[in-house]
Amino acid sequence: MLQNCDFILELLQENGMLTEEQIADGWKRVAETNGETNIIQALVQLNHIDELEMLQMLAQQYGMETLDLASYKIPKEVIEAVPADIVKQYHIIPVMKHDDILTIAIGDPTDMSTLDTIRYVLKCDVDAVVSPQVQIQSMIDRYYSDFEKGVDSALSEIQELDDDELPQQMDDEESALNADETGEGDAPIIRLVTAIIVEAYKLHASDIHMEPLEKRYRIRYRIDGALREVDAPPKYLQTNVTSRIKIMSRLDISEKRLPQDGRIQMRVSGCDIDLRVSTIPTTHGESIVMRILEKASIQLEIPQLGFYADDQKKINQIINMPDGVFLVTGPTGSGKTTSLYAFLNTINLPNRKIITVEDPVEYQLAGINQVQVNNLADMTFANALRAMLRQAPNIIMVGEIRDAETAEIAINASLTGHLVFSTLHTNDAPSAVTRMIDMGVAPFLVSSAVRAIMAQRLVRRVCKNCAEPVKPTREEIRLLKLKDKFLDTCTLMQGRGCSVCGGTGYKGRVGIYEIFQVGEDIQHLIYKKSSADIIRAAARKAGMITLREDGLRKAATGLTTLNEILVTTMGDAE
């Protein structure tokens, strides 16, 4: 973290890299994060300053060199020269050693005290170069991650065992659980499975897919929405790994013919995580998918979702309405729940009571009453919603509207003075209206209650570390029907692939949105049971920006790529 922020701010102004308006925006961001973000970090997050350009300026000021770590390989003997605890505590990375001089990469050239401390601790001469913080962290994860070494170590340990030393499959659940609790049994398998899960968490994967194929056992992590294959144990350990996961999630390890669902709770790097486990029998064994959920309270705010100023203004108006229904639509994995949580966080004030009913409760929201659906106990969405209304809430969130009964209760709640948030699975925003009518909800109720609908998708962000300008292909211009005005003003970027993004060219995701506000004209069309196409045309005429148009706005600024928009909004072509 940069230390001498005031000095850096003065230098940036003197070099004409900042305006007073941008600095004011930065201080506003600092206030929004309650001081957890300093002014320089805030300005980088807001894209008011380029981190690499700033570091080059600072390095020059202090007579230092900059080093791009994107494709840099550090010799093993250099890594071994600095203990992991020193590297992680001071957020530095050793890059080379010549004679008795060790060169380290630092992210803050103004922090001279850290250099002095490292010289004292390591008892050697230390020189420094300057590299971006994100590159240093990537190198720390790559070269000093105990978790990555844990997978390799566990696999090596298993491969060194003799056949008679290999762990045997346990079909007796009681004996398997006893072995697990006493630390006996297949210890290498325990370490391997734990390492696989922890590595996925460290790589910010959302899912772990463990798939039995004919001649091998495949493990893939879903990172930023895309599946990435990783090192996997040999095929003969498939049964042992499956058994271990079943034990951890309290499933019946002897049942191999039916699908099962369970949950694992773990603590990783000081954070509690939940894994939703699903098993299903396939031709070559049981396939397992584990969804990773961090239990800590989620603190997302609306600006972090990727709205432009015009859309953010609309959202603020919608979520501060006294009553009505606000629906968020999109396929599974499009970020609907995350958006709803961000909206609730924004309007979670002491004078408002908020209750949610979810299946499952994915994240804990501070100050909000969250109810878990339990179909076995007859706690369905509809029954939970009825009970919630007796709690006199101001705002209600229903995780998903799945049937006419839940839809009608939600709509009636909105008509009696409640603001109701929920989700639906439709491809675009206007289609949600016809979906509710198809469910059996009366058109006059839909037209009276629904205030707005937002469709969304997630697209991958271009990796900032390896981004470079690119020109659109003829095929992209043709398929996206790009106009000359767009081509003349856009700044298209793509990532060439580096160690920070794992060679993909993408790092993280951002939302693209279609916000459909229900005005009087639209209400009349809904009441008359007009088709989704007619309603969509009216919404476009009223100024609705489509998913593809919002995506193109974000591609034009280099936030994502045209290919991402093309693939993600294939159904939005007009």
Side-chain angles (χ1 to χ4, degrees):
M1 182 182 290
L2 292 163
Q3 303 291 323
N4 201 342
C5 292
D6 292 339
F7 173 68
I8 297 171
L9 205 58
E10 288 177 10
L11 279 178
L12 290 168
Q13 287 181 280
E14 288 174 7
N15 284 270
M17 297 171 68
L18 271 179
T19 65
E20 292 293 338
E21 184 178 355
Q22 289 173 329
I23 293 173
D25 283 347
W27 284 117
K28 184 178 178 182
R29 171 61 65 88
V30 171
E32 288 173 349
T33 61
N34 295 319
E36 292 182 5
T37 301
N38 66 38
I39 181 63
I40 304 301
Q41 289 173 315
L43 291 168
V44 171
Q45 290 172 7
L46 293 166
N47 295 320
H48 288 338
I49 55 175
D50 182 271
E51 186 182 12
L52 190 57
E53 290 180 4
M54 177 188 68
L55 290 176
Q56 289 170 342
M57 177 199 71
L58 289 172
Q60 186 176 11
Q61 184 77 18
Y62 284 84
M64 301 168 71
E65 298 290 331
T66 57
L67 177 63
D68 183 1
L69 297 174
S71 56
Y72 194 85
K73 292 185 178 179
I74 306 173
K76 183 179 179 182
E77 61 271 16
V78 175
I79 290 297
E80 292 174 347
V82 184
D85 56 341
I86 299 296
V87 166
K88 294 175 181 178
Q89 180 178 353
Y90 295 101
H91 202 261
I92 55 100
I93 191 80
V95 291
M96 66 183 76
K97 192 172 184 180
H98 183 67
D99 294 333
D100 292 328
I101 300 176
L102 177 71
T103 302
I104 64 171
I106 61 174
D108 183 8
T110 70
D111 186 13
M112 294 293 106
S113 62
T114 291
L115 281 178
D116 291 337
T117 302
I118 292 170
R119 289 188 184 105
Y120 176 79
V121 170
L122 297 180
K123 309 295 184 188
C124 70
D125 289 335
V126 175
D127 200 357
V129 292
V130 183
S131 300
Q133 302 267 10
V134 66
Q135 290 188 356
I136 293 173
Q137 185 59 54
S138 175
M139 287 295 191
I140 293 173
D141 291 342
R142 179 178 175 183
Y143 289 101
Y144 287 89
S145 173
D146 294 332
F147 306 125
E148 291 182 9
K149 292 179 182 177
V151 175
D152 295 337
S153 176
L155 284 172
S156 298
E157 183 181 352
I158 290 168
Q159 289 167 357
E160 290 172 2
L161 295 176
D162 295 331
D163 289 344
D164 57 352
E165 294 178 307
L166 285 172
Q168 300 299 311
Q169 170 66 21
M170 295 183 182
D171 288 325
D172 178 12
E173 185 171 8
E174 184 176 354
S175 62
L177 288 171
N178 288 337
D180 185 44
E181 289 168 0
T182 59
E184 300 173 354
D186 47 356
I189 296 294
I190 292 173
R191 284 193 287 274
L192 174 62
V193 171
T194 301
I196 289 169
I197 293 171
V198 175
E199 183 183 75
Y201 174 78
K202 294 293 287 184
L203 291 173
H204 305 289
S206 59
D207 306 275
I208 304 170
H209 295 254
M210 312 185 82
E211 303 159 313
L213 306 179
E214 183 179 4
K215 295 183 179 179
R216 66 189 183 99
Y217 192 43
R218 181 169 68 181
I219 296 180
R220 296 188 287 177
Y221 298 157
R222 189 178 296 280
I223 302 172
D224 294 334
L227 286 170
R228 185 186 303 176
E229 190 164 350
V230 297
D231 290 340
K235 175 73 173 176
Y236 66 83
L237 291 177
Q238 170 185 312
T239 306
N240 300 90
V241 170
T242 300
S243 179
R244 171 60 189 164
I245 293 171
K246 284 185 168 183
I247 291 168
M248 294 174 72
S249 48
R250 302 289 174 174
L251 298 179
D252 182 355
I253 65 172
S254 63
E255 179 55 75
K256 301 177 178 65
R257 299 166 299 173
L258 297 174
Q260 296 187 69
D261 295 304
R263 173 164 283 188
I264 297 171
Q265 295 184 335
M266 292 181 63
R267 188 167 182 82
V268 179
S269 300
C271 297
D272 292 321
I273 65 169
D274 272 357
L275 293 102
R276 283 173 22 211
V277 181
S278 170
T279 73
I280 189 169
T282 68
T283 306
H284 303 294
E286 290 179 276
S287 174
I288 297 175
V289 175
M290 293 182 278
R291 177 81 183 274
I292 302 172
L293 302 169
E294 193 170 350
K295 292 177 68 178
S297 296
I298 189 168
Q299 297 297 329
L300 273 182
E301 296 181 0
I302 293 174
Q304 295 172 263
L305 299 178
F307 288 105
Y308 278 123
D310 54 346
D311 284 343
Q312 189 170 325
K313 184 178 179 181
K314 292 177 185 176
I315 290 296
N316 284 328
Q317 291 173 346
I318 293 166
I319 66 176
N320 283 290
M321 294 184 302
D323 55 35
V325 174
F326 179 27
L327 298 173
V328 180
T329 76
T332 300
S334 59
K336 300 187 298 294
T337 302
T338 301
S339 292
L340 287 177
Y341 282 173
F343 299 155
L344 294 181
N345 269 331
T346 302
I347 58 178
N348 182 18
L349 302 174
N351 63 343
R352 292 171 174 165
K353 177 161 184 172
I354 303 175
I355 304 181
T356 74
V357 54
E358 306 168 60
D359 184 22
V361 174
E362 294 192 2
Y363 297 100
Q364 298 169 2
L365 299 173
I368 292 177
N369 301 280
Q370 294 173 271
V371 178
Q372 170 75 52
V373 166
N374 185 346
N375 290 316
L376 293 176
D378 202 29
M379 178 66 86
T380 61
F381 273 113
N383 290 339
L385 191 48
R386 288 192 188 93
M388 285 161 54
L389 292 174
R390 294 194 289 272
Q391 295 280 310
N394 302 102
I395 298 162
I396 296 168
M397 187 190 94
V398 184
E400 183 183 348
I401 292 178
R402 297 177 177 174
D403 52 49
E405 184 182 18
T406 305
E408 287 186 356
I409 298 170
I411 284 176
N412 286 325
S414 73
L415 294 174
T416 55
H418 302 85
L419 180 59
V420 180
F421 294 86
S422 192
T423 69
L424 269 179
H425 289 283
T426 61
N427 290 329
D428 63 2
S431 296
V433 168
T434 53
R435 173 65 58 84
M436 294 186 77
I437 293 173
D438 290 342
M439 281 182 178
V441 181
F444 78 90
L445 288 176
V446 177
S447 64
S448 301
V450 177
R451 299 284 186 267
I453 303 165
M454 181 180 83
Q456 72 173 72
R457 300 289 189 277
L458 291 176
V459 295
R460 292 181 291 175
R461 288 178 182 265
V462 173
C463 174
K464 291 182 180 179
N465 186 61
C466 62
E468 57 187 16
V470 65
K471 292 184 179 181
T473 65
R474 289 183 179 180
E475 192 70 0
E476 288 171 339
I477 294 173
R478 182 182 68 82
L479 292 173
L480 291 168
K481 301 177 183 177
L482 303 179
K483 307 295 183 185
D484 289 341
K485 183 179 179 181
F486 176 89
L487 297 172
D488 292 339
T489 58
C490 67
T491 306
L492 301 176
M493 305 291 285
Q494 72 175 13
R496 64 178 180 273
C498 64
S499 60
V500 173
C501 60
T504 64
Y506 297 99
K507 183 69 175 175
R509 290 191 288 178
V510 66
I512 58 173
Y513 305 97
E514 177 178 280
I515 301 173
F516 169 44
Q517 292 178 285
V518 180
E520 288 187 12
D521 292 342
I522 302 292
Q523 284 181 325
H524 290 311
L525 292 175
I526 296 172
Y527 185 77
K528 293 191 297 183
K529 296 182 67 174
S530 300
S531 69
D533 289 339
I534 293 174
I535 294 173
R536 182 175 178 80
R540 296 281 288 113
K541 187 176 180 181
M544 182 185 78
I545 294 173
T546 67
L547 284 166
R548 175 161 288 185
E549 289 169 342
D550 189 46
L552 288 175
R553 289 196 297 178
K554 285 162 184 169
T557 60
L559 200 59
T560 186
T561 63
L562 291 177
N563 185 65
E564 275 291 287
I565 302 306
L566 184 60
V567 171
T568 307
T569 63
M570 195 66 74
D572 194 36
E574 291 184 349

